[in-house]
Amino acid sequence: MSAFTMDADWLSFDPSPSKPVFQLPAGAVDAHCHVFGPGDVFPYASERKYTPCDAGKDKLFALRDFLGFERNVIVQATCHGADNRALVDALRAADGRARGVATVRPDVTEETLAEMDAAGVRGVRFNFVRRLVDPKPDAYYRGIIERIAPLGWHIVIYFEAADLEERWDFFTSLPTTVVVDHMGRPDVTKPVDGPEFGRFVALMERDNIWSKVSCPERLSKSGPPAYDDVVPFARALVERFPDRVLWGTDWPHPNMKNHMPDDGTLVDFIPRIAPTETLQHKLLVDNPMRLYWQR
């Protein structure tokens, strides 16, 4: 029994998702998902801004198999702060079928970095979403970049569309491969060819920038199950930058407030944004394998 009580307004993941109609290509990777605890084994961080339901590795791997994925990329959840033990435990249990994106501080030890690298961590995440974390000065992140550079890790950044202009100089100065979570959270009520999303497309025109075209459930105003208003944005990126896009379920869907998505329905969203087999294979197999499984 976890010592932590989830937030009163927390929406727990769907325990019985539908079976997708869309058949994933062989070797497909869910390139954005999380593990939460269990809190009695891997306690949640004291500085967290939310307390989730428990959602451990066994449930994640069961979902992977049910939906038809071969592999996962597990992203450190902000509720665990810079304590990556739950992440590393899941990677070790995955028998080579998972890679990880960690959260570290500038004072992380060489021993800890080497341990995470051996377990399968291949990147670090910088979160700039103020309702989830307290963003730090640029020098803080540059200190981390210096620490991970010898390992060849990349950077994942999470921000909201309104913050891109302010952070532009920092983001465009990053020396590694940079993966943007969830298309930089565009305002899908604005035109896909308008100036706000155009700024994000301009960021993507830099060869080192990738994007996850995930989380229609977070971005949509038209709502489930179709999330129609998100399709033009994701499809524009998949078709324009087919070699630098990734997709993930975002299970167990932290901090959803108005509904909990059906993971099977989310998988069926994929052919609407990647309409050809070639685009689907790049999105789900070629790109994540190139980024996460080169070694």
Side-chain angles (χ1 to χ4, degrees):
M1 186 77 176
S2 176
F4 297 88
T5 301
M6 69 180 183
D7 294 339
D9 64 346
W10 188 267
L11 297 182
S12 296
F13 58 89
D14 185 344
S16 302
S18 63
K19 190 75 172 177
V21 176
F22 174 59
Q23 185 171 351
L24 293 162
V29 180
D30 175 355
H32 187 97
C33 52
H34 309 280
V35 288
F36 297 160
D40 59 339
V41 180
F42 302 108
Y44 300 117
S46 60
E47 73 271 19
R48 70 191 183 280
K49 293 195 174 185
Y50 62 89
T51 302
C53 63
D54 285 338
K57 62 181 184 294
D58 294 340
K59 288 184 171 62
L60 174 63
F61 297 157
L63 179 73
R64 173 198 67 196
D65 296 343
F66 175 78
L67 296 177
F69 288 98
E70 294 286 337
R71 298 175 174 86
N72 299 106
V73 179
I74 306 172
V75 178
Q76 172 75 350
T78 58
C79 60
H80 279 293
D83 180 351
N84 295 276
R85 286 178 293 170
L87 168 66
V88 169
D89 175 72
L91 296 179
R92 288 173 172 163
D95 195 24
R97 296 173 65 188
R99 293 289 187 262
V101 175
T103 296
V104 301
R105 299 189 177 105
D107 61 355
V108 63
T109 67
E110 297 295 332
E111 180 182 8
T112 298
L113 287 173
E115 178 184 349
M116 289 193 291
D117 186 70
V121 171
R122 295 294 179 264
V124 294
R125 191 188 200 202
F126 297 158
N127 193 325
F128 299 93
V129 179
R130 291 179 177 86
R131 58 189 162 76
L132 298 177
V133 296
D134 297 316
K136 307 292 194 299
D138 291 356
Y140 174 91
Y141 303 107
R142 296 197 188 282
I144 294 171
I145 293 168
E146 290 176 3
R147 302 298 309 283
I148 66 169
L151 297 168
W153 290 3
H154 66 274
I155 295 165
V156 175
I157 54 176
Y158 188 28
F159 60 88
E160 298 187 296
D163 300 324
L164 179 54
E165 185 173 8
E166 174 189 346
R167 297 279 181 177
W168 180 269
D169 290 345
F170 176 65
F171 291 162
T172 56
S173 72
L174 295 174
T176 66
T177 294
V178 178
V179 181
V180 180
D181 279 342
H182 320 323
M183 302 183 284
R185 294 188 61 96
D187 181 345
V188 298
T189 67
K190 296 181 178 179
V192 69
D193 57 355
E196 186 173 274
F197 195 61
R199 185 178 295 118
F200 183 72
V201 172
L203 182 69
M204 284 291 296
E205 287 173 347
R206 295 172 177 267
D207 290 343
N208 68 316
I209 307 292
W210 295 45
S211 179
K212 295 172 189 169
V213 289
S214 46
C215 289
E217 71 279 11
R218 294 193 181 281
L219 305 175
S220 180
K221 304 301 182 185
S222 61
Y227 308 118
D228 290 328
D229 50 354
V230 181
V231 172
F233 293 83
R235 183 164 174 169
L237 297 180
V238 170
E239 292 184 336
R240 186 161 179 173
F241 308 104
D243 297 313
R244 289 185 279 120
V245 286
L246 302 166
W247 187 91
T249 58
D250 195 35
W251 187 90
H253 312 289
N255 293 297
M256 291 294 295
K257 297 303 182 185
N258 55 16
H259 77 287
M260 181 51 56
D262 176 338
D263 291 286
T265 299
L266 293 181
V267 171
D268 285 334
F269 187 76
I270 295 170
R272 300 178 64 205
I273 64 172
T276 69
E277 288 186 9
T278 297
L279 290 174
Q280 292 161 10
H281 203 272
K282 286 176 178 288
L283 177 66
L284 298 167
V285 183
D286 296 342
N287 298 347
M289 290 301 293
R290 188 169 81 253
L291 188 58
Y292 288 99
W293 272 272
Q294 283 194 343
R295 59 182 176 90

mmCIF file of all heavy atoms in Angstrom, residues 22-39:
data_model
loop_
_atom_site.group_PDB
_atom_site.id
_atom_site.type_symbol
_atom_site.label_atom_id
_atom_site.label_comp_id
_atom_site.label_asym_id
_atom_site.label_seq_id
_atom_site.Cartn_x
_atom_site.Cartn_y
_atom_site.Cartn_z
ATOM 1 N N PHE A 22 -5.926 0.062 -35.746
ATOM 2 C CA PHE A 22 -4.687 0.244 -36.492
ATOM 3 C C PHE A 22 -3.645 -0.771 -36.021
ATOM 4 O O PHE A 22 -3.353 -0.876 -34.832
ATOM 5 C CB PHE A 22 -4.159 1.663 -36.295
ATOM 6 C CG PHE A 22 -2.805 1.920 -36.897
ATOM 7 C CD1 PHE A 22 -2.579 1.745 -38.255
ATOM 8 C CD2 PHE A 22 -1.747 2.346 -36.099
ATOM 9 C CE1 PHE A 22 -1.327 1.985 -38.803
ATOM 10 C CE2 PHE A 22 -0.500 2.604 -36.637
ATOM 11 C CZ PHE A 22 -0.291 2.414 -37.999
ATOM 12 N N GLN A 23 -3.090 -1.507 -36.949
ATOM 13 C CA GLN A 23 -2.049 -2.485 -36.614
ATOM 14 C C GLN A 23 -0.693 -1.820 -36.715
ATOM 15 O O GLN A 23 -0.272 -1.394 -37.795
ATOM 16 C CB GLN A 23 -2.119 -3.701 -37.537
ATOM 17 C CG GLN A 23 -1.143 -4.790 -37.142
ATOM 18 C CD GLN A 23 -1.353 -6.083 -37.913
ATOM 19 O OE1 GLN A 23 -2.330 -6.238 -38.631
ATOM 20 N NE2 GLN A 23 -0.433 -7.017 -37.756
ATOM 21 N N LEU A 24 -0.016 -1.736 -35.603
ATOM 22 C CA LEU A 24 1.288 -1.094 -35.568
ATOM 23 C C LEU A 24 2.306 -1.887 -36.382
ATOM 24 O O LEU A 24 2.248 -3.126 -36.420
ATOM 25 C CB LEU A 24 1.772 -0.986 -34.127
ATOM 26 C CG LEU A 24 0.966 -0.048 -33.229
ATOM 27 C CD1 LEU A 24 1.237 -0.349 -31.763
ATOM 28 C CD2 LEU A 24 1.312 1.397 -33.542
ATOM 29 N N PRO A 25 3.260 -1.208 -37.022
ATOM 30 C CA PRO A 25 4.304 -1.938 -37.739
ATOM 31 C C PRO A 25 5.192 -2.716 -36.780
ATOM 32 O O PRO A 25 5.347 -2.342 -35.606
ATOM 33 C CB PRO A 25 5.096 -0.823 -38.439
ATOM 34 C CG PRO A 25 4.819 0.412 -37.657
ATOM 35 C CD PRO A 25 3.424 0.253 -37.127
ATOM 36 N N ALA A 26 5.771 -3.788 -37.251
ATOM 37 C CA ALA A 26 6.675 -4.590 -36.425
ATOM 38 C C ALA A 26 7.810 -3.709 -35.905
ATOM 39 O O ALA A 26 8.399 -2.933 -36.655
ATOM 40 C CB ALA A 26 7.236 -5.750 -37.234
ATOM 41 N N GLY A 27 8.106 -3.832 -34.618
ATOM 42 C CA GLY A 27 9.179 -3.048 -34.021
ATOM 43 C C GLY A 27 8.768 -1.678 -33.537
ATOM 44 O O GLY A 27 9.628 -0.859 -33.181
ATOM 45 N N ALA A 28 7.473 -1.384 -33.483
ATOM 46 C CA ALA A 28 7.002 -0.052 -33.102
ATOM 47 C C ALA A 28 7.416 0.308 -31.678
ATOM 48 O O ALA A 28 7.454 -0.538 -30.779
ATOM 49 C CB ALA A 28 5.483 0.030 -33.247
ATOM 50 N N VAL A 29 7.718 1.592 -31.487
ATOM 51 C CA VAL A 29 8.187 2.113 -30.207
ATOM 52 C C VAL A 29 7.203 3.153 -29.682
ATOM 53 O O VAL A 29 6.856 4.103 -30.385
ATOM 54 C CB VAL A 29 9.580 2.773 -30.357
ATOM 55 C CG1 VAL A 29 10.060 3.325 -29.009
ATOM 56 C CG2 VAL A 29 10.590 1.796 -30.929
ATOM 57 N N ASP A 30 6.759 2.973 -28.454
ATOM 58 C CA ASP A 30 6.036 4.011 -27.726
ATOM 59 C C ASP A 30 7.108 4.921 -27.134
ATOM 60 O O ASP A 30 7.737 4.598 -26.130
ATOM 61 C CB ASP A 30 5.172 3.375 -26.634
ATOM 62 C CG ASP A 30 4.464 4.398 -25.751
ATOM 63 O OD1 ASP A 30 4.705 5.608 -25.910
ATOM 64 O OD2 ASP A 30 3.677 3.972 -24.877
ATOM 65 N N ALA A 31 7.317 6.072 -27.755
ATOM 66 C CA ALA A 31 8.493 6.891 -27.459
ATOM 67 C C ALA A 31 8.252 7.965 -26.409
ATOM 68 O O ALA A 31 9.098 8.852 -26.225
ATOM 69 C CB ALA A 31 9.030 7.534 -28.743
ATOM 70 N N HIS A 32 7.123 7.893 -25.700
ATOM 71 C CA HIS A 32 6.916 8.823 -24.589
ATOM 72 C C HIS A 32 5.904 8.228 -23.625
ATOM 73 O O HIS A 32 4.695 8.204 -23.892
ATOM 74 C CB HIS A 32 6.421 10.186 -25.083
ATOM 75 C CG HIS A 32 6.350 11.210 -23.976
ATOM 76 N ND1 HIS A 32 7.362 12.118 -23.758
ATOM 77 C CD2 HIS A 32 5.410 11.464 -23.039
ATOM 78 C CE1 HIS A 32 7.037 12.890 -22.720
ATOM 79 N NE2 HIS A 32 5.846 12.509 -22.277
ATOM 80 N N CYS A 33 6.382 7.740 -22.499
ATOM 81 C CA CYS A 33 5.526 7.192 -21.453
ATOM 82 C C CYS A 33 6.282 7.339 -20.139
ATOM 83 O O CYS A 33 7.444 7.738 -20.106
ATOM 84 C CB CYS A 33 5.150 5.736 -21.742
ATOM 85 S SG CYS A 33 6.565 4.664 -22.090
ATOM 86 N N HIS A 34 5.601 7.040 -19.038
ATOM 87 C CA HIS A 34 6.169 7.264 -17.716
ATOM 88 C C HIS A 34 5.917 6.060 -16.805
ATOM 89 O O HIS A 34 5.058 5.223 -17.083
ATOM 90 C CB HIS A 34 5.524 8.489 -17.050
ATOM 91 C CG HIS A 34 5.499 9.721 -17.894
ATOM 92 N ND1 HIS A 34 6.589 10.540 -18.057
ATOM 93 C CD2 HIS A 34 4.497 10.278 -18.627
ATOM 94 C CE1 HIS A 34 6.264 11.561 -18.846
ATOM 95 N NE2 HIS A 34 4.997 11.414 -19.213
ATOM 96 N N VAL A 35 6.642 6.029 -15.698
ATOM 97 C CA VAL A 35 6.283 5.158 -14.578
ATOM 98 C C VAL A 35 6.152 6.036 -13.333
ATOM 99 O O VAL A 35 6.960 6.941 -13.115
ATOM 100 C CB VAL A 35 7.306 4.027 -14.341
ATOM 101 C CG1 VAL A 35 7.209 2.985 -15.443
ATOM 102 C CG2 VAL A 35 8.735 4.553 -14.229
ATOM 103 N N PHE A 36 5.113 5.752 -12.546
ATOM 104 C CA PHE A 36 4.882 6.447 -11.280
ATOM 105 C C PHE A 36 4.998 5.417 -10.161
ATOM 106 O O PHE A 36 4.143 4.549 -10.018
ATOM 107 C CB PHE A 36 3.474 7.044 -11.219
ATOM 108 C CG PHE A 36 3.173 8.107 -12.241
ATOM 109 C CD1 PHE A 36 1.857 8.401 -12.551
ATOM 110 C CD2 PHE A 36 4.175 8.810 -12.872
ATOM 111 C CE1 PHE A 36 1.547 9.376 -13.468
ATOM 112 C CE2 PHE A 36 3.884 9.791 -13.807
ATOM 113 C CZ PHE A 36 2.556 10.083 -14.102
ATOM 114 N N GLY A 37 6.067 5.515 -9.376
ATOM 115 C CA GLY A 37 6.205 4.630 -8.226
ATOM 116 C C GLY A 37 6.342 3.168 -8.606
ATOM 117 O O GLY A 37 7.058 2.842 -9.561
ATOM 118 N N PRO A 38 5.616 2.284 -7.871
ATOM 119 C CA PRO A 38 4.681 2.566 -6.780
ATOM 120 C C PRO A 38 5.331 3.336 -5.629
ATOM 121 O O PRO A 38 6.499 3.142 -5.319
ATOM 122 C CB PRO A 38 4.240 1.172 -6.323
ATOM 123 C CG PRO A 38 4.565 0.257 -7.446
ATOM 124 C CD PRO A 38 5.771 0.839 -8.111
ATOM 125 N N GLY A 39 4.534 4.221 -5.032
ATOM 126 C CA GLY A 39 5.077 5.146 -4.053
ATOM 127 C C GLY A 39 5.681 4.497 -2.823
ATOM 128 O O GLY A 39 6.554 5.082 -2.179
#
